[in-house]
Amino acid sequence: MFTKVIFGRYVPIDSVIHRLDPRSKLVLSLYFIVLVFFANNWQSYAFLAATTLATILLTKVQLKFFWEGIRPLIFIIILTVLLQIVFSAGGTVYWHWGIFSITSMGLVNGVYVFMRFFLIICMSTVLTLTTPPLLIADAVESLMKPLLKIKVPVYEIALMLSIALRFIPTLMDETQKIMNAQRARGVNFSSGSLIKRVKSIVPILIPLFISAFNRAEDLATAMESRGYRGGDHRSKFRILKWRGADTIACVGMAAITAGLFLLRLL
Amino acid sequence: MIEVKNITYSYPNSDSKALNDLSVTIQDQQWIALVGHNGSGKSTIARVIDGLVEGYQGEVTVNGMPLNDDTVWDIRDQIGFVFQNPDNQFVGATVQDDVAFGLENRNVPRPEMVERVQQALEVVGMSEFATREPSSLSGGQKQRVALAGAIALQPKILILDEATSMLDPQGRQEMLEILKQMKQRFELTIIMITHDLSETAMADRVLLMNHGQLVADAQPEKLFARTQVIKDNGLELPYSEQLKEQLAVAGIDLPREYMNEDRMVEWLWDKLN
Amino acid sequence: MGQIELNNVDYKYQPDTPFEATALQAINFTVETGSYTALIGHTGSGKSTLIQLIDGLIKPTSGEVTVVDHHSTATSNSKDLDQLRKNVGIVFQFPESQLFEETVLKDIAFGPKNFGKTDAEATAIAKKSMALVGLTEDFAEKSPFDLSGGQMRRVAIAGVLALEPEILILDEPTAGLDASGQAQIMNLFKQLNVEQGITIILVTHNMEDVAKYANQVYVLNHGAIVKSGTPREIFANQQWLMENYLTVPVTTRVAQKLIDKGYSFDEFPLTVAELSQKLIPKLKGEQ
Ligand SMILES: Nc1ncnc2c1ncn2[C@@H]1O[C@H](COP(=O)(O)OP(=O)(O)OP(=O)(O)O)[C@@H](O)[C@H]1O
Ligand SMILES: Nc1ncnc2c1ncn2[C@@H]1O[C@H](COP(=O)(O)OP(=O)(O)OP(=O)(O)O)[C@@H](O)[C@H]1O
Ligand SMILES: [Mg+2]
Ligand SMILES: [Mg+2]
């Protein structure tokens, strides 16, 4: 019933950002990610960082959550940054060993790469913390609608996506239950040799697979009994509404773009 | 009216008969309780009536319409189905989305849909949970939502396959109360599958199944008096019959007919004085 | 000092997050060796959480859990928790979802092997457990997935009994079974309790079972223990039980109706057998 993973998960509170249309949130976050790659000096990075911070504050979510959202990725970021530092040349050389060197250019590049990662993760975290997964699915459906013309089964894909999302907590809960049952029968997931640990996954995977299969069968029966036949002869209960705030958000993003390109000229 | 005629069916991967030449007629606005031990064929016959099973012998007619590939969707429009496990029947990601699912399938225009969703949630007393995610509800609340999803379609027939078996006593009691009210208000025919004989007391008729066949079809009180039949089919005797059985062993003279709890108390009190 | 002892235990799910939920607070709980304890309470009252603490599947947020002579506290590591598990077997709700081996016998032998038994020993124990739950030998080589629901339930229960636990915890073990299946399984547990002295903790919504089998009851309400005592003490106050979202056994209800009419019992009956025993002499005397 409850998931252990909470970081990067929707936080049900109310804020300006929460109330935005998921389509504008999805498109604007993707747009922002592209925008980050256009920053080329410390002023433009600082500017983007400031806008990101402002957005985060607007979500009213505790800063700790953003940190926790980034933490699992920190290792990859640091590795990339280190590689960037030791392999790029140019400027003053501070340290040198074989093909490795630390130069002023390298350091600067490292900081930029770090900033890029950081900003992208922050913005995607803003999206997932403020938008229920279902609404993201809706937004995808709405944005993919033009693809209906080339016979992409957009409605089916969207329904599949939203059912999958709806079943994630159920299956995680199920996994927890099965793990508990097998731990109670003496399976140890946290110690022993690698082979032993890999083996200990079997008693989880088989029951989980069977349970998922049974659930899917039950769900298919339930859907059929409730009259689901697929296709587009269906009306929609949930409709997305574009509001003033969404227009303002877009204008805001345009302003950020303008600001960024001005700062690039410095 | 539901007419089931000479249905025989085996699951594709099994060689025993899940249903064996089963015939039964159910009148409009009857409350039917369907009982029998595990594997007696209760779920299978319920699924046959809803057109969810293929490849059986025999005939099913629902409100005058013979069930076949052309009519199955029309027939399903008249039947609401609530299953045992509340977790496996949720399609929507929030309560109101889920209740709306059946209406979306029938292409109901949105304004009407919104109204019917609200109404259905009100009937089951779940209005304030409209925007909650199903995973944050208790089992009893989930089943009420499933009931709302069925009732929003304004069916004539409601089938419940052990819909209360995963609930606590309070959740069960609430479900039964809601069902009673709904039956009155919407003039429903109810088919309720259950393992709990005490839940059958409010039915008009109890159908007792064994080995894919009907072994008894009677009013609850009449069936409860047939203690041997109940025991032979793996069910538990109703409370007053259990008590009578114990008293009979001690050689006490007892009335033959079934007494419900209150009548049993009356009788005891008379005797004790 | 009981065999199981919970001392001022709190448990929170996902502490320090917006999803934090207090499931148990200030729990004091004692179970003596060889007793049969029932744990009752409304849905979400914390019953399943409590038994997971006893089996070391989770550790308390504060307070101390003691099982035989192993302890778990907020600072315990997974080694300590493993120790708790040695003496305890749990039959979870719908335990058939833990089956995974190719044959019934292998599945039942899985637990003992994990706890260090040799293949031969484990197989011998598995055969014994099969007999205990009433599965004949010809089931041994069948796939557990080809069985009926009731049979799968038995295999799962045999898999837990094969751990030869001193303490057996049951979380609604008969849900979904028909009356005769329920009676058989509940009688099996009682038999294990009486004949082998296995301590039993039963989580249930079925008050008839509590009245029939338990000798000690704990009532949970919103994560706190609100009452404990013998079934007779617990069921004496119908009004109070209703307030705690619980019901009484039918016998108690019937007895209460007789009392309301003016009859009096020297001791409150809980089961059909008890009620009839008390009534028979009176009914006969009048005749
Ligand atoms: N999907 C299936 N494949 C093969 N056999 C099945 C399947 N479902 C049910 N059966 C078998 O058909 C028979 C009737 O099953 P059914 O599910 O109708 O029983 P039931 O009365 O609903 O039992 P329960 O009380 O356990 O729900 C049983 O023997 C069962 O094993
Ligand atoms: N994994 C989890 N994460 C967060 N909260 C949880 C989790 N599991 C249970 N809870 C909450 O803890 C409380 C106690 O739950 P628990 O499962 O122990 O209740 P229960 O008495 O066993 O209920 P039931 O009779 O429905 O089985 C409930 O409020 C529940 O919502
Ligand atoms: Mg069934
Ligand atoms: Mg529980």
Side-chain angles (χ1 to χ4, degrees):
Chain A
M1 194 184 342
F2 295 85
T3 53
K4 290 278 168 313
V5 185
I6 46 173
F7 303 113
R9 195 178 107 187
Y10 176 61
V11 180
I13 54 175
D14 191 33
S15 78
V16 200
I17 307 286
H18 280 76
R19 269 175 272 139
L20 286 180
D21 188 297
R23 285 170 300 183
S24 54
K25 268 189 275 189
L26 185 61
V27 171
L28 291 179
S29 341
L30 291 176
Y31 178 85
F32 188 83
I33 288 170
V34 176
L35 207 57
V36 167
F37 286 92
F38 284 94
N40 65 346
N41 51 23
W42 70 265
Q43 291 94 336
S44 49
Y45 275 110
F47 175 67
L48 290 181
T51 53
T52 307
L53 184 66
T55 318
I56 290 175
L57 291 179
L58 279 177
T59 64
K60 292 193 188 157
V61 178
Q62 289 171 35
L63 285 178
K64 198 175 79 190
F65 273 82
F66 287 88
W67 168 236
E68 296 290 352
I70 296 158
R71 204 163 60 173
L73 297 171
I74 211 88
F75 175 70
I76 304 175
I77 302 183
I78 289 178
L79 192 74
T80 326
V81 170
L82 281 180
L83 288 178
Q84 189 69 36
I85 291 176
V86 295
F87 279 118
S88 52
T92 328
V93 178
Y94 298 121
W95 178 80
H96 179 86
W97 186 77
I99 54 164
F100 305 109
S101 61
I102 293 182
T103 65
S104 57
M105 281 287 276
L107 278 181
V108 169
N109 272 335
V111 171
Y112 286 174
V113 168
F114 173 78
M115 284 303 285
R116 238 177 249 164
F117 261 112
F118 184 75
L119 292 176
I120 289 172
I121 293 166
C122 279
M123 262 314 172
S124 2
T125 311
V126 166
L127 177 70
T128 55
L129 287 184
T130 63
T131 322
L134 175 76
L135 285 184
I136 298 183
D138 275 359
V140 170
E141 171 179 331
S142 172
L143 295 168
M144 273 174 39
K145 249 185 207 150
L147 297 181
L148 274 174
K149 291 219 175 66
I150 54 166
K151 301 248 153 61
V152 177
V154 172
Y155 296 111
E156 282 78 4
I157 293 176
L159 186 72
M160 255 165 55
L161 188 60
S162 77
I163 289 177
L165 289 169
R166 124 96 184 84
F167 263 90
I168 287 173
T170 310
L171 287 180
M172 287 181 84
D173 194 41
E174 184 80 16
T175 313
Q176 186 68 49
K177 273 190 197 147
I178 296 171
M179 278 177 77
N180 273 346
Q182 307 298 27
R183 274 163 76 199
R185 288 211 283 168
V187 177
N188 202 325
F189 300 109
S190 51
S191 66
S193 67
L194 188 65
I195 295 176
K196 228 177 151 187
R197 283 198 214 183
V198 171
K199 261 191 166 168
S200 74
I201 298 175
V202 176
I204 306 296
L205 277 187
I206 293 178
L208 188 62
F209 184 78
I210 290 169
S211 139
F213 186 81
N214 286 338
R215 280 179 196 279
E217 203 169 65
D218 278 6
L219 183 73
T221 312
M223 284 172 69
E224 202 179 334
S225 82
R226 295 173 72 182
Y228 180 73
R229 305 198 232 181
D232 52 356
H233 293 289
R234 302 181 73 232
S235 47
K236 286 213 65 136
F237 177 73
R238 179 186 293 279
I239 45 167
L240 300 175
K241 253 215 198 98
W242 192 269
R243 272 179 260 187
D246 296 296
T247 314
I248 294 172
C250 289
V251 173
M253 191 54 87
I256 293 169
T257 313
L260 178 74
F261 279 92
L262 281 178
L263 290 171
R264 266 171 69 93
L265 301 177
L266 290 177
Chain B
M1 192 165 80
I2 303 170
E3 290 170 272
V4 171
K5 263 190 230 140
N6 307 102
I7 299 283
T8 297
Y9 177 73
S10 304
Y11 282 91
N13 48 353
S14 129
D15 38 52
S16 62
K17 288 176 180 162
L19 296 175
N20 191 357
D21 197 26
L22 178 74
S23 299
V24 65
T25 302
I26 294 167
Q27 304 297 337
D28 283 347
Q29 296 189 47
Q30 271 190 340
W31 182 318
I32 304 287
L34 188 52
V35 299
H37 62 75
N38 290 128
S40 55
K42 305 181 296 292
S43 301
T44 310
I45 186 59
R47 281 160 196 240
V48 166
I49 294 172
D50 202 28
L52 296 168
V53 170
E54 276 174 359
Y56 52 84
Q57 291 156 28
E59 263 172 58
V60 178
T61 314
V62 177
N63 292 338
M65 248 188 283
L67 175 65
N68 57 42
D69 284 351
D70 299 325
T71 58
V72 63
W73 296 103
D74 292 325
I75 287 178
R76 275 183 202 151
D77 276 355
Q78 305 180 34
I79 301 179
F81 209 127
V82 181
F83 296 87
Q84 176 177 23
N85 189 340
D87 277 321
N88 297 357
Q89 51 193 320
F90 263 104
V91 186
T94 70
V95 166
Q96 54 182 6
D97 280 298
D98 189 71
V99 176
F101 180 72
L103 299 169
E104 291 180 324
N105 293 335
R106 286 166 180 81
N107 213 355
V108 175
R110 186 163 188 282
E112 188 188 336
M113 185 150 57
V114 173
E115 202 170 297
R116 277 165 72 172
V117 168
Q118 266 172 9
Q119 220 173 29
L121 284 174
E122 221 161 273
V123 171
V124 300
M126 288 292 292
S127 301
E128 53 189 304
F129 297 89
T131 56
R132 290 271 287 269
E133 287 176 36
S135 60
S136 71
L137 302 178
S138 77
Q141 291 171 332
K142 285 182 199 171
Q143 276 308 35
R144 288 203 251 166
V145 174
L147 200 54
I151 215 67
L153 304 171
Q154 302 172 344
K156 289 264 146 271
I157 301 162
L158 195 58
I159 302 180
L160 303 124
D161 191 350
E162 297 188 44
T164 60
S165 70
M166 292 174 91
L167 310 184
D168 61 349
Q170 209 197 10
R172 280 182 192 210
Q173 209 49 50
E174 286 171 6
M175 274 286 273
L176 289 177
E177 282 307 317
I178 292 172
L179 280 177
K180 251 197 236 171
Q181 286 167 15
M182 286 198 325
K183 180 167 185 301
Q184 278 282 315
R185 188 161 157 195
F186 304 115
E187 306 182 334
L188 290 170
T189 306
I190 293 182
I191 302 177
M192 185 168 89
I193 298 176
T194 176
H195 278 302
D196 187 350
L197 262 199
S198 67
E199 284 185 356
T200 63
M202 58 179 71
D204 301 309
R205 254 167 94 190
V206 184
L207 305 182
L208 170 57
M209 286 186 71
N210 201 350
H211 297 300
Q213 287 174 316
L214 214 54
V215 289
D217 174 355
Q219 289 173 339
E221 309 230 320
K222 297 252 166 63
L223 181 69
F224 293 163
R226 292 161 66 185
T227 50
Q228 202 52 46
V229 175
I230 293 178
K231 282 204 242 169
D232 288 347
N233 289 284
L235 302 179
E236 194 180 35
L237 290 179
Y239 184 80
S240 52
E241 291 299 330
Q242 289 178 31
L243 185 58
K244 271 162 76 176
E245 201 167 52
Q246 302 255 343
L247 298 179
V249 173
I252 291 169
D253 273 337
L254 292 145
R256 267 284 196 83
E257 84 276 3
Y258 170 78
M259 297 186 282
N260 67 18
E261 205 177 295
D262 285 331
R263 285 220 303 275
M264 185 82 207
V265 172
E266 290 291 339
W267 184 86
L268 284 171
W269 181 240
D270 275 355
K271 279 276 170 192
L272 288 167
N273 283 300
Chain C
M1 188 81 193
Q3 191 181 23
I4 302 171
E5 195 88 37
L6 270 74
N7 231 318
N8 211 9
V9 166
D10 286 349
Y11 187 78
K12 289 192 176 103
Y13 283 102
Q14 307 181 357
D16 305 319
T17 73
F19 307 99
E20 176 175 306
T22 302
L24 293 173
Q25 46 188 324
I27 299 289
N28 289 302
F29 179 87
T30 308
V31 167
E32 301 295 338
T33 309
S35 65
Y36 196 130
T37 303
L39 198 53
I40 59 180
H42 62 86
T43 0
S45 56
K47 305 182 293 296
S48 300
T49 310
L50 180 55
I51 61 176
Q52 286 177 45
L53 280 166
I54 297 172
D55 200 23
L57 294 167
I58 51 181
K59 57 187 185 187
T61 314
S62 68
E64 188 183 36
V65 178
T66 308
V67 178
V68 190
D69 35 35
H70 303 289
H71 309 276
S72 109
T73 61
T75 53
S76 296
N77 58 28
S78 66
K79 279 249 164 59
D80 303 335
L81 296 177
D82 287 347
Q83 292 299 317
L84 255 66
R85 219 161 294 148
K86 283 222 167 107
N87 304 303
V88 184
I90 295 197
V91 176
F92 287 94
Q93 212 180 0
F94 299 103
E96 47 276 21
S97 71
Q98 75 193 28
L99 303 176
F100 74 100
E101 286 277 20
E102 299 134 66
T103 70
V104 167
L105 195 66
K106 274 193 192 167
D107 204 287
I108 300 174
F110 176 70
K113 270 193 236 165
N114 285 328
F115 283 108
K117 294 273 191 296
T118 65
D119 281 7
E121 286 168 341
T123 309
I125 298 173
K127 286 200 172 136
K128 228 171 64 192
S129 307
M130 278 181 68
L132 269 181
V133 299
L135 288 169
T136 51
E137 295 230 347
D138 38 319
F139 280 101
E141 296 307 317
K142 284 194 181 163
S143 159
F145 303 109
D146 288 344
L147 307 180
S148 77
Q151 291 163 343
M152 278 167 87
R153 181 74 55 96
R154 277 159 206 262
V155 174
I157 290 172
V160 176
L161 295 181
L163 305 174
E164 305 187 306
E166 287 169 38
I167 300 163
L168 188 58
I169 303 182
L170 312 161
D171 196 349
E172 300 182 42
T174 59
L177 294 186
D178 55 26
S180 60
Q182 287 186 15
Q184 281 166 9
I185 285 180
M186 290 310 295
N187 287 334
L188 163 69
F189 293 139
K190 186 67 191 177
Q191 193 188 334
L192 290 172
N193 175 246
V194 174
E195 288 173 11
Q196 308 191 15
I198 295 179
T199 309
I200 294 205
I201 300 178
L202 171 72
V203 172
T204 186
H205 288 302
N206 185 334
M207 299 304 146
E208 313 300 323
D209 284 348
V210 176
K212 218 158 153 188
Y213 301 111
N215 45 37
Q216 175 182 230
V217 185
Y218 278 92
V219 184
L220 278 171
N221 186 351
H222 291 111
I225 287 175
V226 284
K227 208 172 201 174
S228 67
T230 63
R232 215 175 297 284
E233 286 160 1
I234 298 292
F235 291 131
N237 191 342
Q238 287 197 39
Q239 187 59 36
W240 182 86
L241 283 161
M242 305 271 257
E243 283 160 18
N244 285 275
Y245 317 101
L246 296 167
T247 53
V248 291
V250 186
T251 303
T252 313
R253 205 165 64 210
V254 169
Q256 187 63 48
K257 281 180 183 167
L258 282 170
I259 291 171
D260 291 346
K261 283 185 180 293
Y263 190 78
S264 72
F265 290 97
D266 48 348
E267 195 187 40
F268 217 60
L270 291 180
T271 61
V272 191
E274 280 179 17
L275 179 63
S276 52
Q277 262 167 30
K278 289 192 193 305
L279 292 178
I280 286 166
K282 301 264 168 68
L283 288 169
K284 280 197 159 164
E286 299 280 339
Q287 270 168 5

